[in-house]
Amino acid sequence: LHAMRWEKLTQQLDKVRASDDKNNPYRSAQLLACMREILLRKTGKWANHTQMLDLLYAALHNDNGLLHQVRTGEGKSIITIMRASYLALNGSIVDVFSAKDSLSERDHEEFAPVLDAMGISHRHINANSDATGGVFKNGVGTINYATIGNFSLYHSRHIWNGTSKTSLKKENRVAFLDEADHILLDELTQFNFSAGEKDDGAHNLEA
């Protein structure tokens, strides 16, 4: 892959992604290899062997909730972008939640060129973001960057105003929590919102 021209590399990514057998371990390894090369060329960051083993394990257990314990300096941002991108390339809507809005916006800006190169639509969401359901193209999902608080307020406002274009159903939707220990243990905050009188009830997002 190192010697492959850019056009050939992106074509190889599309070819592997479009293959039918998504549960084939060899396909998962090929897809991650192409993604790693794109990450390197766009950011100069390289997913090492340990990170790739973590990503391969996650790819083989897509139906399970996974907890990645990554110390400072061990490549949390690389694992996050690679895992989120892998899920999106396989048709999932991925919501990447950060502890702070500034971190969420920073990560989105840093890895936007990578996502563009992979053909994945993406955006940073805050409480005042415009309504959109994400852009799906050729079976590829989308990635949203937000905090749980802003995500809750964003959906609350658009559901209340009748302008929501986003489905909150869990099918094909994945939450990836960056610094989950801080979000789930330190903040101890629960965000509640009512979607309106026609909705089945209130939505709860706990942090």
Side-chain angles (χ1 to χ4, degrees):
L1 292 176
H2 283 318
M4 192 175 286
R5 298 181 64 179
W6 178 256
E7 182 179 355
K8 292 292 185 180
L9 176 61
T10 54
Q11 289 176 353
Q12 179 67 14
L13 177 77
D14 291 337
K15 179 181 178 180
V16 175
R17 183 199 61 77
S19 60
D20 295 330
D21 192 2
K22 293 186 178 181
N23 295 321
N24 187 335
Y26 183 65
R27 174 193 178 272
S28 297
Q30 283 186 308
L31 188 60
L32 286 168
C34 292
M35 293 166 56
R36 176 166 69 166
E37 183 65 23
I38 291 174
L39 177 69
L40 174 64
R41 297 191 190 187
K42 286 296 180 180
T43 68
K45 294 186 176 182
W46 176 250
N48 62 35
H49 296 328
T50 302
Q51 293 160 354
M52 289 298 288
L53 285 173
D54 175 77
L55 292 164
L56 282 167
Y57 180 88
L60 297 177
H61 297 81
N62 268 332
D63 295 332
N64 299 328
L66 297 176
L67 181 65
H68 306 256
Q69 185 174 1
V70 186
R71 295 179 179 177
T72 302
E74 292 184 348
K76 177 167 57 66
S77 63
I78 291 177
I79 292 175
T80 299
I81 184 62
M82 289 284 287
R83 180 62 180 153
S85 298
Y86 180 89
L87 291 167
L89 287 171
N90 283 287
S92 294
I93 304 170
V94 185
D95 301 309
V96 179
F97 295 121
S98 297
K100 298 179 180 179
D101 187 62
S102 58
L103 298 177
S104 177
E105 187 173 12
R106 180 204 64 186
D107 290 344
H108 177 244
E109 291 179 356
E110 180 179 4
F111 293 110
V114 178
L115 299 175
D116 289 337
M118 295 183 187
I120 302 171
S121 63
H122 54 90
R123 60 185 176 143
H124 172 256
I125 292 177
N126 58 40
N128 298 314
S129 295
D130 294 334
T132 176
V135 179
F136 288 83
K137 183 178 180 181
N138 299 324
V140 177
T142 185
I143 298 179
N144 305 312
Y145 286 82
T147 64
I148 288 183
N150 279 338
F151 190 76
S152 175
L153 292 171
Y154 163 81
H155 285 293
S156 175
R157 180 167 60 87
H158 287 295
I159 292 173
W160 188 269
N161 292 334
T163 56
S164 176
K165 300 178 182 179
T166 303
S167 172
L168 292 176
K169 295 182 179 179
K170 64 180 181 180
E171 291 79 6
N172 293 328
R173 193 168 200 119
V174 179
F176 193 103
L177 274 65
D178 187 2
E179 299 186 9
D181 53 345
H182 174 74
I183 295 174
L184 297 177
L185 300 178
D186 295 340
E187 289 193 337
L188 297 177
T189 303
Q190 176 172 288
F191 302 95
N192 302 311
F193 65 85
S194 171
E197 61 179 10
K198 295 182 180 180
D199 191 71
D200 292 336
H203 296 273
N204 296 318
L205 291 173
E206 295 186 358

